[in-house]
Amino acid sequence: MPDKRVVFDFDISFTNRGGIQGQDFRLDIAADTISDQELADYIVTDMQLLMVGKVDILNKYYMEEKHKRQPINQLRDDKYIDLSHTIFDGLVTYKGLPSPVICDYLSREQSKANYEPGTEFQIGKIEMVTNTGTYIDCPFHRFEHGKDLSEMELERFADLEAITINAENAIEINKSYFTGKEIRNKAVLVYTGWAKHWNTTQYFENHPYLTAEAAEYLKECSVKLVGIDSHNIDDTRGKSRPVHTILLGAEILIVEHLCNLDKLPKSGYKFNAVPPKFKGVGTFPVRAYASFNS
């Protein structure tokens, strides 16, 4: 694909009065097009502007020209990587547990009776178990007197320095996968490749899991959180759950059913998985993602 460049004028107003304009501004882009909002955000950030109000992008057009620096779309696309599965009506996350019911509580058609013509709203209704989609486990999930979602400090869920452990094609993930790695005080994300089976019957059978020995080692290294792109962090063929017991007993959070871990580097990013602040709940879906410095 030929290198593309966007050419445009801009008019920026400041909230404390005044403004600046630019004509025939040119930027390299990675795709064929770029939105006005993306251009506005880039200009404000790149020029380190403060007190910015309205930004108008004017007379925009595209041209083919060899790039002179890294395209701005590429910089933006790499800032976040979504690590969560989509939750939809009827999804089976854990065989034997009910799937979510997602529907209208108040439909747009019903709302018309409450507002002036042309004004409509939708209020949704969701019925589901807390172990749905990509979710995080707190100590209360395993222990009656463990901390629930509302009792865990916010910093336990966000901006965690992270490391990716490659255990692709492994089933039993033992201590050896973690030895010699810089894991202390980090979120440890275990990539197995199992997410490719998501929403299939194969996802539930013979899935990758951590051993108790691995969990004990992670506990000894004082990791903050352990995530996996598999059906369960424990071996579900028996009735014991030693990994949950060891990690949650040490207040090390667990995130299961991750995805896109193959897109992550070995390190140099932060992990985020923030749930709602529920009392009396130890597990809940999260929008898990990796973030990178700009």
Side-chain angles (χ1 to χ4, degrees):
M1 182 178 72
D3 288 348
K4 289 295 183 69
R5 173 173 281 199
V6 61
V7 185
F8 60 98
D9 303 336
F10 63 83
D11 188 338
I12 298 176
S13 300
F14 295 105
T15 58
N16 59 347
R17 304 181 65 181
I20 60 172
Q21 295 77 40
Q23 289 78 41
D24 202 33
F25 210 72
R26 302 182 178 208
L27 286 174
D28 297 333
I29 59 175
D32 289 333
T33 62
I34 184 170
S35 71
D36 288 358
Q37 185 63 54
E38 288 175 301
L39 285 176
D41 291 344
Y42 178 79
I43 293 168
V44 171
T45 301
D46 197 52
M47 298 177 71
Q48 299 183 355
L49 300 177
L50 301 175
M51 308 292 286
V52 174
K54 185 180 181 183
V55 180
D56 288 320
I57 303 297
L58 309 166
N59 305 318
K60 182 174 70 175
Y61 66 93
Y62 302 95
M63 60 186 297
E64 293 183 5
E65 188 170 87
K66 186 174 179 59
H67 287 164
K68 294 178 173 59
R69 62 174 180 172
Q70 187 177 12
I72 67 171
N73 307 59
Q74 185 175 337
L75 288 170
R76 292 180 60 85
D77 288 348
D78 289 342
K79 190 173 181 181
Y80 303 105
I81 295 179
D82 194 335
L83 306 177
S84 303
H85 290 291
T86 299
I87 298 174
F88 55 87
D89 183 73
L91 169 70
V92 178
T93 300
Y94 201 100
K95 190 162 61 174
L97 294 180
S99 59
V101 177
I102 304 173
C103 58
D104 289 337
Y105 174 76
L106 178 71
S107 70
R108 299 186 191 280
E109 187 63 31
Q110 291 170 330
S111 77
K112 290 179 180 179
N114 301 329
Y115 306 101
E116 65 182 23
T119 303
E120 303 169 9
F121 294 94
Q122 185 264 3
I123 299 177
K125 179 180 177 181
I126 300 173
E127 296 179 8
M128 69 177 189
V129 296
T130 56
N131 292 53
T132 298
T134 301
Y135 54 77
I136 195 162
D137 290 343
C138 293
F140 185 75
H141 176 53
R142 172 63 181 82
F143 300 100
E144 180 181 0
H145 300 293
K147 290 182 179 179
D148 64 20
L149 294 173
S150 71
E151 295 169 321
M152 298 299 301
E153 301 83 355
L154 185 58
E155 56 264 30
R156 299 297 304 274
F157 302 112
D159 289 333
L160 303 175
E161 295 289 342
I163 182 172
T164 311
I165 302 297
N166 190 338
E168 187 177 13
N169 299 321
I171 297 297
E172 185 177 277
I173 302 166
N174 57 35
K175 172 183 173 180
S176 66
Y177 284 89
F178 307 99
T179 55
K181 304 289 175 43
E182 189 60 56
I183 60 176
R184 187 173 184 82
N185 290 325
K186 291 188 177 181
V188 179
L189 306 186
V190 183
Y191 166 60
T192 70
W194 203 251
K196 65 186 176 184
H197 301 305
W198 176 254
N199 202 29
T200 71
T201 55
Q202 188 174 348
Y203 187 73
F204 310 111
E205 307 297 334
N206 301 315
H207 63 85
Y209 61 90
L210 269 61
T211 64
E213 177 197 39
E216 286 287 0
Y217 183 74
L218 292 168
K219 174 185 172 181
E220 291 169 4
C221 292
S222 297
V223 305
K224 296 287 188 182
L225 176 151
V226 184
I228 192 168
D229 59 347
S230 178
H231 173 53
N232 199 298
I233 203 167
D234 265 302
D235 183 357
T236 58
R237 291 174 296 182
K239 293 187 176 181
S240 65
R241 298 292 185 269
V243 179
H244 279 82
T245 300
I246 293 165
L247 296 183
L248 296 180
E251 294 193 355
I252 298 171
L253 303 180
I254 297 171
V255 181
E256 294 169 311
H257 311 285
L258 288 164
C259 62
N260 294 329
L261 298 189
D262 56 313
K263 298 179 180 178
L264 296 176
K266 293 181 180 179
S267 60
Y269 65 95
K270 292 185 177 181
F271 180 71
N272 304 267
V274 183
K277 195 175 180 180
F278 277 113
K279 184 69 179 173
V281 175
T283 299
F284 207 79
V286 290
R287 184 70 177 265
Y289 65 94
S291 60
F292 301 84
N293 292 329
S294 300

